[in-house]
Amino acid sequence: MRRQGYELADTEVNMTLDQFRNIYCNIDGSVSRSKLKFSARPSPEMIKKMTPIATPSNPDPKADVGTIWVEFLDEDQLGADQMRRFGKFCAHENHHTGILVSHVSVSPSAKKEIAKFAQWTSIEWFLEEDLLINITHHELVPRHVVLSREEKAALLKRYRLKETQLPRILQKDPVAKYFGMKRGQVVKIIRASETAGRYASYRLCV
């Protein structure tokens, strides 16, 4: 969440294993998933990045971001009922985004529930085992930088491109999910080069 731009206290991010156990584990050493829930607000920098460029028809655009709610599933299945309950909570509490982390696979019926809440809250789902390793730290994954709306507009203007002419990255791509990318956003990918030192390419999230 901090990498995406949400505000979190250092004590929430940097803690020892013993501190984590004291706060989030049961007496038998198992993790209490019901305690692993939190909300966070977007930083001013994130709000600026997610605010559309002002136009004559929309002189005071609103940022496409807000508070986020993160919760770990504390049940042995993730079906339509669980997803519906999670979506209703996020919508009722006015959370712009909700992330549900599960130790079991999501059912097809649960995936269908996500779209039903799209007008109130954006719901994302992650599998616990996919979060055990930070993929952006892998040596084979180049550096990714999500562009702001202004940076995207400047890029298209500089190269006289339409956004549909850019190579694409799927919203379900692991790195795109890591950064919480939305459709229409552009990511700058910086790779090492033996001749140029490094070079950048750009992809449109679809």
Side-chain angles (χ1 to χ4, degrees):
M1 295 302 97
R2 175 174 279 186
R3 284 291 301 275
Q4 287 190 21
Y6 290 97
E7 294 181 333
L8 292 168
D10 286 336
T11 54
E12 295 179 281
V13 179
N14 301 313
M15 66 174 64
T16 65
L17 180 57
D18 286 337
Q19 288 173 327
F20 178 87
R21 285 172 173 162
N22 290 334
I23 299 172
Y24 299 109
C25 288
N26 299 311
I27 297 177
D28 62 0
S30 61
V31 176
S32 177
R33 291 185 174 87
S34 61
K35 296 180 180 179
L36 293 172
K37 57 181 67 173
F38 65 92
S39 64
R41 296 178 303 180
S43 64
E45 293 78 11
M46 187 181 188
I47 293 175
K48 181 179 179 181
K49 176 177 284 191
M50 299 299 293
T51 301
I53 298 174
T55 62
S57 60
N58 187 17
D60 187 25
K62 304 299 181 183
D64 186 20
V65 70
T67 59
I68 190 168
W69 175 257
V70 181
E71 185 174 319
F72 283 68
L73 182 72
D74 195 27
E75 300 180 47
D76 293 330
Q77 65 176 4
L78 180 50
D81 290 343
Q82 289 81 6
M83 188 66 77
R84 189 181 305 114
R85 184 166 62 246
F86 179 74
K88 286 182 177 179
F89 172 82
C90 292
H92 182 266
E93 297 297 323
N94 295 317
H95 291 300
H96 184 274
T97 304
I99 290 183
L100 184 59
V101 183
S102 169
H103 57 288
V104 293
S105 297
V106 62
S107 70
S109 60
K111 289 182 179 179
K112 293 180 180 179
E113 291 295 322
I114 294 177
K116 297 179 181 180
F117 293 93
Q119 60 179 311
W120 299 290
T121 182
S122 174
I123 298 176
E124 300 175 39
W125 167 79
F126 288 88
L127 196 60
E128 275 186 20
E129 62 184 44
D130 292 338
L131 301 179
L132 295 178
I133 298 175
N134 189 332
I135 58 174
T136 65
H137 292 173
H138 196 284
E139 61 180 5
L140 297 179
V141 178
R143 184 184 174 202
H144 288 64
V145 180
V146 181
L147 302 187
S148 67
R149 304 289 178 89
E150 292 179 346
E151 291 170 332
K152 172 186 173 181
L155 172 72
L156 298 177
K157 182 177 180 181
R158 178 182 179 184
Y159 293 104
R160 298 179 181 178
L161 294 172
K162 296 180 180 179
E163 65 175 35
T164 52
Q165 293 177 287
L166 292 172
R168 300 177 180 182
I169 182 172
L170 297 178
Q171 194 176 26
K172 63 182 179 181
D173 180 274
V175 176
K177 289 189 66 176
Y178 176 87
F179 286 106
M181 291 185 65
K182 301 181 183 299
R183 288 183 175 86
Q185 285 190 297
V186 173
V187 63
K188 179 180 182 180
I189 304 174
I190 304 170
R191 292 184 171 87
S193 169
E194 294 182 359
T195 56
R198 64 177 187 173
Y199 71 96
S201 59
Y202 301 87
R203 290 192 178 185
L204 174 72
C205 183
V206 296

mmCIF file with all atom_site columns, all heavy atoms in Angstrom, residues 85-96:
data_model
loop_
_atom_site.group_PDB
_atom_site.id
_atom_site.type_symbol
_atom_site.label_atom_id
_atom_site.label_alt_id
_atom_site.label_comp_id
_atom_site.label_asym_id
_atom_site.label_entity_id
_atom_site.label_seq_id
_atom_site.pdbx_PDB_ins_code
_atom_site.Cartn_x
_atom_site.Cartn_y
_atom_site.Cartn_z
_atom_site.occupancy
_atom_site.B_iso_or_equiv
_atom_site.pdbx_formal_charge
_atom_site.auth_seq_id
_atom_site.auth_comp_id
_atom_site.auth_asym_id
_atom_site.auth_atom_id
_atom_site.pdbx_PDB_model_num
ATOM 1   N N   . ARG A 1 85 ? -20.593 -9.805  1.093  1.00 0.00 ? 85 ARG A N   1
ATOM 2   C CA  . ARG A 1 85 ? -20.495 -9.169  2.403  1.00 0.00 ? 85 ARG A CA  1
ATOM 3   C C   . ARG A 1 85 ? -19.339 -8.167  2.438  1.00 0.00 ? 85 ARG A C   1
ATOM 4   O O   . ARG A 1 85 ? -19.470 -7.071  2.987  1.00 0.00 ? 85 ARG A O   1
ATOM 5   C CB  . ARG A 1 85 ? -20.298 -10.240 3.480  1.00 0.00 ? 85 ARG A CB  1
ATOM 6   C CG  . ARG A 1 85 ? -20.278 -9.693  4.898  1.00 0.00 ? 85 ARG A CG  1
ATOM 7   C CD  . ARG A 1 85 ? -20.428 -10.792 5.930  1.00 0.00 ? 85 ARG A CD  1
ATOM 8   N NE  . ARG A 1 85 ? -19.341 -11.750 5.876  1.00 0.00 ? 85 ARG A NE  1
ATOM 9   C CZ  . ARG A 1 85 ? -19.468 -13.015 5.517  1.00 0.00 ? 85 ARG A CZ  1
ATOM 10  N NH1 . ARG A 1 85 ? -20.659 -13.490 5.157  1.00 0.00 ? 85 ARG A NH1 1
ATOM 11  N NH2 . ARG A 1 85 ? -18.435 -13.827 5.494  1.00 0.00 ? 85 ARG A NH2 1
ATOM 12  N N   . PHE A 1 86 ? -18.228 -8.534  1.831  1.00 0.00 ? 86 PHE A N   1
ATOM 13  C CA  . PHE A 1 86 ? -17.077 -7.641  1.781  1.00 0.00 ? 86 PHE A CA  1
ATOM 14  C C   . PHE A 1 86 ? -17.394 -6.394  0.954  1.00 0.00 ? 86 PHE A C   1
ATOM 15  O O   . PHE A 1 86 ? -17.077 -5.270  1.343  1.00 0.00 ? 86 PHE A O   1
ATOM 16  C CB  . PHE A 1 86 ? -15.878 -8.377  1.169  1.00 0.00 ? 86 PHE A CB  1
ATOM 17  C CG  . PHE A 1 86 ? -14.638 -7.540  1.043  1.00 0.00 ? 86 PHE A CG  1
ATOM 18  C CD1 . PHE A 1 86 ? -13.881 -7.227  2.159  1.00 0.00 ? 86 PHE A CD1 1
ATOM 19  C CD2 . PHE A 1 86 ? -14.241 -7.061  -0.200 1.00 0.00 ? 86 PHE A CD2 1
ATOM 20  C CE1 . PHE A 1 86 ? -12.735 -6.446  2.041  1.00 0.00 ? 86 PHE A CE1 1
ATOM 21  C CE2 . PHE A 1 86 ? -13.098 -6.285  -0.322 1.00 0.00 ? 86 PHE A CE2 1
ATOM 22  C CZ  . PHE A 1 86 ? -12.336 -5.982  0.794  1.00 0.00 ? 86 PHE A CZ  1
ATOM 23  N N   . GLY A 1 87 ? -18.040 -6.589  -0.200 1.00 0.00 ? 87 GLY A N   1
ATOM 24  C CA  . GLY A 1 87 ? -18.393 -5.464  -1.053 1.00 0.00 ? 87 GLY A CA  1
ATOM 25  C C   . GLY A 1 87 ? -19.366 -4.510  -0.380 1.00 0.00 ? 87 GLY A C   1
ATOM 26  O O   . GLY A 1 87 ? -19.229 -3.287  -0.484 1.00 0.00 ? 87 GLY A O   1
ATOM 27  N N   . LYS A 1 88 ? -20.358 -5.052  0.321  1.00 0.00 ? 88 LYS A N   1
ATOM 28  C CA  . LYS A 1 88 ? -21.332 -4.213  1.018  1.00 0.00 ? 88 LYS A CA  1
ATOM 29  C C   . LYS A 1 88 ? -20.664 -3.390  2.114  1.00 0.00 ? 88 LYS A C   1
ATOM 30  O O   . LYS A 1 88 ? -20.991 -2.216  2.321  1.00 0.00 ? 88 LYS A O   1
ATOM 31  C CB  . LYS A 1 88 ? -22.436 -5.080  1.617  1.00 0.00 ? 88 LYS A CB  1
ATOM 32  C CG  . LYS A 1 88 ? -23.425 -5.631  0.593  1.00 0.00 ? 88 LYS A CG  1
ATOM 33  C CD  . LYS A 1 88 ? -24.530 -6.436  1.274  1.00 0.00 ? 88 LYS A CD  1
ATOM 34  C CE  . LYS A 1 88 ? -25.552 -6.932  0.251  1.00 0.00 ? 88 LYS A CE  1
ATOM 35  N NZ  . LYS A 1 88 ? -26.624 -7.737  0.914  1.00 0.00 ? 88 LYS A NZ  1
ATOM 36  N N   . PHE A 1 89 ? -19.708 -4.003  2.813  1.00 0.00 ? 89 PHE A N   1
ATOM 37  C CA  . PHE A 1 89 ? -19.006 -3.273  3.872  1.00 0.00 ? 89 PHE A CA  1
ATOM 38  C C   . PHE A 1 89 ? -18.222 -2.104  3.280  1.00 0.00 ? 89 PHE A C   1
ATOM 39  O O   . PHE A 1 89 ? -18.295 -0.977  3.773  1.00 0.00 ? 89 PHE A O   1
ATOM 40  C CB  . PHE A 1 89 ? -18.056 -4.206  4.622  1.00 0.00 ? 89 PHE A CB  1
ATOM 41  C CG  . PHE A 1 89 ? -17.162 -3.492  5.598  1.00 0.00 ? 89 PHE A CG  1
ATOM 42  C CD1 . PHE A 1 89 ? -17.618 -3.158  6.861  1.00 0.00 ? 89 PHE A CD1 1
ATOM 43  C CD2 . PHE A 1 89 ? -15.868 -3.132  5.239  1.00 0.00 ? 89 PHE A CD2 1
ATOM 44  C CE1 . PHE A 1 89 ? -16.802 -2.478  7.755  1.00 0.00 ? 89 PHE A CE1 1
ATOM 45  C CE2 . PHE A 1 89 ? -15.043 -2.457  6.120  1.00 0.00 ? 89 PHE A CE2 1
ATOM 46  C CZ  . PHE A 1 89 ? -15.512 -2.128  7.378  1.00 0.00 ? 89 PHE A CZ  1
ATOM 47  N N   . CYS A 1 90 ? -17.469 -2.355  2.217  1.00 0.00 ? 90 CYS A N   1
ATOM 48  C CA  . CYS A 1 90 ? -16.656 -1.300  1.594  1.00 0.00 ? 90 CYS A CA  1
ATOM 49  C C   . CYS A 1 90 ? -17.544 -0.173  1.064  1.00 0.00 ? 90 CYS A C   1
ATOM 50  O O   . CYS A 1 90 ? -17.212 1.008   1.205  1.00 0.00 ? 90 CYS A O   1
ATOM 51  C CB  . CYS A 1 90 ? -15.809 -1.880  0.467  1.00 0.00 ? 90 CYS A CB  1
ATOM 52  S SG  . CYS A 1 90 ? -14.501 -2.999  1.027  1.00 0.00 ? 90 CYS A SG  1
ATOM 53  N N   . ALA A 1 91 ? -18.663 -0.534  0.442  1.00 0.00 ? 91 ALA A N   1
ATOM 54  C CA  . ALA A 1 91 ? -19.572 0.469   -0.106 1.00 0.00 ? 91 ALA A CA  1
ATOM 55  C C   . ALA A 1 91 ? -20.221 1.271   1.014  1.00 0.00 ? 91 ALA A C   1
ATOM 56  O O   . ALA A 1 91 ? -20.332 2.505   0.933  1.00 0.00 ? 91 ALA A O   1
ATOM 57  C CB  . ALA A 1 91 ? -20.636 -0.203  -0.967 1.00 0.00 ? 91 ALA A CB  1
ATOM 58  N N   . HIS A 1 92 ? -20.650 0.601   2.078  1.00 0.00 ? 92 HIS A N   1
ATOM 59  C CA  . HIS A 1 92 ? -21.321 1.277   3.198  1.00 0.00 ? 92 HIS A CA  1
ATOM 60  C C   . HIS A 1 92 ? -20.378 2.229   3.917  1.00 0.00 ? 92 HIS A C   1
ATOM 61  O O   . HIS A 1 92 ? -20.780 3.303   4.364  1.00 0.00 ? 92 HIS A O   1
ATOM 62  C CB  . HIS A 1 92 ? -21.866 0.239   4.183  1.00 0.00 ? 92 HIS A CB  1
ATOM 63  C CG  . HIS A 1 92 ? -22.618 0.839   5.329  1.00 0.00 ? 92 HIS A CG  1
ATOM 64  N ND1 . HIS A 1 92 ? -22.012 1.124   6.545  1.00 0.00 ? 92 HIS A ND1 1
ATOM 65  C CD2 . HIS A 1 92 ? -23.913 1.221   5.455  1.00 0.00 ? 92 HIS A CD2 1
ATOM 66  C CE1 . HIS A 1 92 ? -22.902 1.654   7.361  1.00 0.00 ? 92 HIS A CE1 1
ATOM 67  N NE2 . HIS A 1 92 ? -24.063 1.715   6.725  1.00 0.00 ? 92 HIS A NE2 1
ATOM 68  N N   . GLU A 1 93 ? -19.099 1.847   4.016  1.00 0.00 ? 93 GLU A N   1
ATOM 69  C CA  . GLU A 1 93 ? -18.118 2.683   4.708  1.00 0.00 ? 93 GLU A CA  1
ATOM 70  C C   . GLU A 1 93 ? -17.453 3.693   3.773  1.00 0.00 ? 93 GLU A C   1
ATOM 71  O O   . GLU A 1 93 ? -16.524 4.402   4.182  1.00 0.00 ? 93 GLU A O   1
ATOM 72  C CB  . GLU A 1 93 ? -17.033 1.787   5.337  1.00 0.00 ? 93 GLU A CB  1
ATOM 73  C CG  . GLU A 1 93 ? -17.559 0.848   6.410  1.00 0.00 ? 93 GLU A CG  1
ATOM 74  C CD  . GLU A 1 93 ? -18.124 1.590   7.602  1.00 0.00 ? 93 GLU A CD  1
ATOM 75  O OE1 . GLU A 1 93 ? -17.559 2.632   7.971  1.00 0.00 ? 93 GLU A OE1 1
ATOM 76  O OE2 . GLU A 1 93 ? -19.152 1.130   8.161  1.00 0.00 ? 93 GLU A OE2 1
ATOM 77  N N   . ASN A 1 94 ? -17.922 3.748   2.533  1.00 0.00 ? 94 ASN A N   1
ATOM 78  C CA  . ASN A 1 94 ? -17.418 4.711   1.538  1.00 0.00 ? 94 ASN A CA  1
ATOM 79  C C   . ASN A 1 94 ? -15.928 4.544   1.237  1.00 0.00 ? 94 ASN A C   1
ATOM 80  O O   . ASN A 1 94 ? -15.210 5.531   1.014  1.00 0.00 ? 94 ASN A O   1
ATOM 81  C CB  . ASN A 1 94 ? -17.695 6.144   1.993  1.00 0.00 ? 94 ASN A CB  1
ATOM 82  C CG  . ASN A 1 94 ? -19.178 6.453   2.063  1.00 0.00 ? 94 ASN A CG  1
ATOM 83  O OD1 . ASN A 1 94 ? -19.936 6.090   1.169  1.00 0.00 ? 94 ASN A OD1 1
ATOM 84  N ND2 . ASN A 1 94 ? -19.598 7.103   3.142  1.00 0.00 ? 94 ASN A ND2 1
ATOM 85  N N   . HIS A 1 95 ? -15.467 3.303   1.230  1.00 0.00 ? 95 HIS A N   1
ATOM 86  C CA  . HIS A 1 95 ? -14.088 3.045   0.832  1.00 0.00 ? 95 HIS A CA  1
ATOM 87  C C   . HIS A 1 95 ? -14.023 3.017   -0.696 1.00 0.00 ? 95 HIS A C   1
ATOM 88  O O   . HIS A 1 95 ? -14.791 2.309   -1.338 1.00 0.00 ? 95 HIS A O   1
ATOM 89  C CB  . HIS A 1 95 ? -13.590 1.723   1.400  1.00 0.00 ? 95 HIS A CB  1
ATOM 90  C CG  . HIS A 1 95 ? -13.421 1.733   2.884  1.00 0.00 ? 95 HIS A CG  1
ATOM 91  N ND1 . HIS A 1 95 ? -12.566 2.602   3.534  1.00 0.00 ? 95 HIS A ND1 1
ATOM 92  C CD2 . HIS A 1 95 ? -14.011 0.987   3.866  1.00 0.00 ? 95 HIS A CD2 1
ATOM 93  C CE1 . HIS A 1 95 ? -12.616 2.388   4.838  1.00 0.00 ? 95 HIS A CE1 1
ATOM 94  N NE2 . HIS A 1 95 ? -13.506 1.424   5.064  1.00 0.00 ? 95 HIS A NE2 1
ATOM 95  N N   . HIS A 1 96 ? -13.113 3.790   -1.249 1.00 0.00 ? 96 HIS A N   1
ATOM 96  C CA  . HIS A 1 96 ? -12.968 3.840   -2.707 1.00 0.00 ? 96 HIS A CA  1
ATOM 97  C C   . HIS A 1 96 ? -12.517 2.493   -3.264 1.00 0.00 ? 96 HIS A C   1
ATOM 98  O O   . HIS A 1 96 ? -12.941 2.071   -4.350 1.00 0.00 ? 96 HIS A O   1
ATOM 99  C CB  . HIS A 1 96 ? -11.967 4.929   -3.091 1.00 0.00 ? 96 HIS A CB  1
ATOM 100 C CG  . HIS A 1 96 ? -11.804 5.125   -4.562 1.00 0.00 ? 96 HIS A CG  1
ATOM 101 N ND1 . HIS A 1 96 ? -10.930 4.375   -5.318 1.00 0.00 ? 96 HIS A ND1 1
ATOM 102 C CD2 . HIS A 1 96 ? -12.414 5.985   -5.424 1.00 0.00 ? 96 HIS A CD2 1
ATOM 103 C CE1 . HIS A 1 96 ? -10.998 4.775   -6.578 1.00 0.00 ? 96 HIS A CE1 1
ATOM 104 N NE2 . HIS A 1 96 ? -11.893 5.740   -6.671 1.00 0.00 ? 96 HIS A NE2 1
#
